[in-house]
Amino acid sequence: MKKDRFLSELKDALALNKNINMNDDIEVDSLSKLALIAFFDEFFDLKIESKDLSYIKNVKDVVNLIGLDKIEE
Amino acid sequence: MFIKTIEYYFPQKKLTNIDLKREFPEWDSQKVDEKIGIKSRYVVADNETSLDLAYNVCEKIFKNIDREEIDCLILCTQSPDYFLPSSACVLQDRLGLKTSVGAFDFNLGCSGYVYGLSIAKGLLASNVANKILFITAETYTKMIYKKDISNRAIFGDGATATILSAKAPGFNIGDFILGTDGSGFSNLIVKNGGFRSPLNDNPKEIIYGNGNLYTDNHLYMNGPEIFSFTISRIPKLVSDVLLKNDLTIGDIDYFIFHQANKFMLEYLCRKMKISESKFYINMKETGNTVSNTIPIAIKDCIDRDVFSNGSNIMIVGFGVGYSWGATILKKRGLNEKG
C-alpha cells in the first residue's frame, strides 16, 4: 500500500480529526484497538493479538506490525 | 420444524448512558453511543434473577399459547439461580406445567439461541416432544464489577421465550453449522465461583484495557481478542451454512447476527459485502443481552412486518467459549411448501 493511502486509511480508521504522518504519536483506547484490528484485517489480511496492540504508541509502531515492506513510498 | 412465536421480557430498571456518565465523569458516553450503538440497557434488581425473567416472559407467551400443550422446556442461561437444580425444573413447577414435561438447562452464551434451536429441532424430529418452550434468560449485569465501566456499558439483562413445533405455519428451521474453539475460553470468563477457583472473600482489583477495573469474582472480557476471533471466524461460518442449506448469499433476505456491538456488526457487514438494508443492527435500548439478542431481533422484525412469506433469514450466534452456530429460517404460511 502507498504510504499516503496508508496514512489516510489509518486516520479514518482511528477517526482522527487531523492528518497524520509517520512520526506522529497516536492514542490507542479500547475502541481504537478494535479499529486497528479491523484496519489490519481489512487492508493487510493480518490477525494481530491484543497484547501486541498494547505496544502501539505511534504510527511507526503500526508500520512495524504490518511490516515495513508492505508500505511503499 | 417451526418457530411458532417469540416473546421477550426486560426488567423494569433501565440504566442509561447519562446514568453511567454520572458515575464515571471521564467516560466518553458519546463514543459508546455512536460506535458501540448502545444508549441504555435493562438491569435486574438485586432480588431479581434469570429465573424471574424467565417466568415473566413465559407468562407473557402463555397469554396466547395453552401451557397444557407444552411437553418440553429448554432453558439457556449462564446466570442460573442455583448450581443445582437446573432452573428449568424450578420453572416447570412455578409455571404450573404438567409433570410429563421434559425440562433441562444448558450453559451457553451468545451462540445459545442457535444451539437451542438445533436441540429443539432434534427433539421434535425424533418425536421426543411435540411442542417445545425454549427460553433464554440472562443477568450478566450481576456478574460485572461495579467499577468496570466498559462491560457495564455493553451488557444488559433480559429473557425470551420461543415456542417450537413440527407443524407449519411459522419459521421453518434449516440445517445447522455449529462450532467450538475452547482455546479462547479465558477471553470471556467469570473465573471464580465454581469448583476450580472458589469465590475470593477479598478479591484484588485488576486493571485492564484503558483503566477499567474488575476482579476474578467478576466478568472479564478481552474485547480485542473477542473481536479478532469474530471477524476471522464468522465469514467462514456464513459461507458454510449457506453451502449446507444449498443457498447463495443472494438468496438470503435478511441477516440477524448476535447483537454484540455496532462496530463489530458494521465491520462484518462490510467485510462480507452484505447490503446494510438486509443486515439487522439494533441494540440501542437493550445493549448486548447475550443469548437473547437473536430472538429479540426476530420478534422485532416480526412486529415491524420485515419478513414476507418465503423470506430466508440467516441467524448467526457467536461468543463466549468460543462457541458459534448458524442456521437459516424460512418464513412459511399454513399451506405453503418449501
Side-chain angles (χ1 to χ4, degrees), chain B residues 14 26 332:
Chain B
K14 201 168 191 178
E26 305 295 311
R332 229 181 84 175

Side-chain angles (χ1 to χ4, degrees), chain B residues 132-144:
Chain B
I132 295 177
L133 170 60
F134 168 37
I135 300 149
T136 59
E138 285 299 354
T139 58
Y140 260 40
T141 66
K142 282 185 184 288
M143 302 190 271
I144 300 171

Side-chain angles (χ1 to χ4, degrees), chain A residues 15 28-31 33-35 37-38 41-42 47-50 53, chain B residues 31 35-36 209-210 222-225 227-228 231-232 263 267 270-271:
Chain A
V28 182
D29 62 13
S30 27
L31 278 173
K33 277 183 185 166
L34 302 190
I37 291 168
D41 180 68
E42 185 170 10
K47 194 177 171 187
I48 302 291
E49 286 190 30
S50 61
L53 295 172
Chain B
K31 220 171 182 178
K35 296 266 184 191
I36 302 297
N210 287 80
N222 184 333
E225 283 299 331
F227 180 66
S228 198
I231 64 171
S232 63
F263 182 85
Y267 183 66
R270 193 164 81 236
K271 184 171 176 165

Side-chain angles (χ1 to χ4, degrees), chain B residues 51-337:
Chain B
L51 191 54
D52 297 328
L53 301 183
Y55 172 79
N56 283 318
V57 76
C58 290
E59 285 300 339
K60 203 170 164 187
I61 212 163
F62 287 147
K63 284 183 180 152
N64 299 306
I65 298 283
D66 180 3
R67 70 186 72 203
E68 284 297 310
E69 290 178 7
I70 302 299
D71 55 9
C72 185
L73 192 166
I74 305 170
L75 196 153
C76 172
T77 188
Q78 296 195 307
S79 39
D81 281 35
Y82 310 108
F83 276 120
L84 59 100
S86 66
S87 295
C89 292
V90 182
L91 195 57
Q92 173 273 330
D93 179 60
R94 200 162 151 189
L95 288 169
L97 300 182
K98 58 194 181 192
T99 52
S100 56
V101 158
F104 62 95
D105 291 2
F106 70 95
N107 176 334
L108 277 174
C110 308
S111 64
Y113 190 71
V114 176
Y115 270 76
L117 291 185
S118 76
I119 296 166
K121 186 178 177 180
L123 292 170
L124 292 169
S126 55
N127 211 22
V128 172
N130 290 310
K131 192 163 260 185
I132 295 177
L133 170 60
F134 168 37
I135 300 149
T136 59
E138 285 299 354
T139 58
Y140 260 40
T141 66
K142 282 185 184 288
M143 302 190 271
I144 300 171
Y145 191 48
K146 262 267 192 228
K147 297 180 189 172
D148 183 355
I149 176 61
S150 191
N151 283 323
R152 284 185 67 194
I154 289 172
F155 291 104
D157 300 328
T160 73
T162 302
I163 300 288
L164 300 112
S165 93
K167 291 177 191 150
F171 291 87
N172 185 42
I173 304 165
D175 289 338
F176 288 83
I177 296 285
L178 305 176
T180 309
D181 179 2
S183 70
F185 83 97
S186 61
N187 289 322
L188 182 41
I189 189 169
V190 178
K191 196 171 171 187
N192 292 349
F195 296 109
R196 178 159 304 275
S197 184
L199 272 182
N200 186 335
D201 289 340
N202 191 20
K204 71 167 198 264
E205 287 183 337
I206 303 164
I207 299 176
Y208 79 101
N210 287 80
N212 274 298
L213 291 170
Y214 78 106
T215 84
D216 279 338
N217 284 354
H218 297 92
L219 184 132
Y220 165 72
M221 179 165 73
N222 184 333
E225 283 299 331
I226 298 288
F227 180 66
S228 198
F229 143 72
T230 305
I231 64 171
S232 63
R233 176 62 63 182
I234 300 311
K236 181 164 171 15
L237 174 61
V238 167
S239 56
D240 287 350
V241 81
L242 286 170
L243 197 64
K244 191 153 187 189
N245 286 276
D246 202 20
L247 294 167
T248 67
I249 202 148
D251 295 323
I252 304 299
D253 300 291
Y254 214 66
F255 296 83
I256 296 179
F257 284 28
H258 162 58
Q259 301 290 293
N261 70 67
K262 184 172 161 237
F263 182 85
M264 182 190 277
L265 291 173
E266 284 180 342
Y267 183 66
L268 282 170
C269 182
R270 193 164 81 236
K271 184 171 176 165
M272 288 182 281
K273 299 183 173 56
I274 297 170
S275 160
E276 283 177 32
S277 64
K278 291 181 170 186
F279 198 82
Y280 185 91
I281 301 181
N282 185 9
M283 71 211 84
K284 213 184 301 171
E285 305 295 326
T286 58
N288 175 344
T289 52
V290 197
S291 55
N292 298 300
T293 68
I294 294 173
I296 290 169
I298 298 171
K299 168 73 173 153
D300 180 32
C301 290
I302 293 169
D303 290 347
R304 289 189 293 111
D305 223 5
V306 170
F307 309 132
S308 320
N309 276 336
S311 285
N312 286 316
I313 304 124
M314 180 187 288
I315 60 168
V316 181
F318 48 84
V320 56
Y322 304 133
S323 170
W324 59 89
T327 191
I328 310 290
L329 306 176
K330 190 180 186 77
K331 189 176 177 193
R332 229 181 84 175
L334 191 57
N335 300 312
E336 289 168 277
K337 290 183 178 173

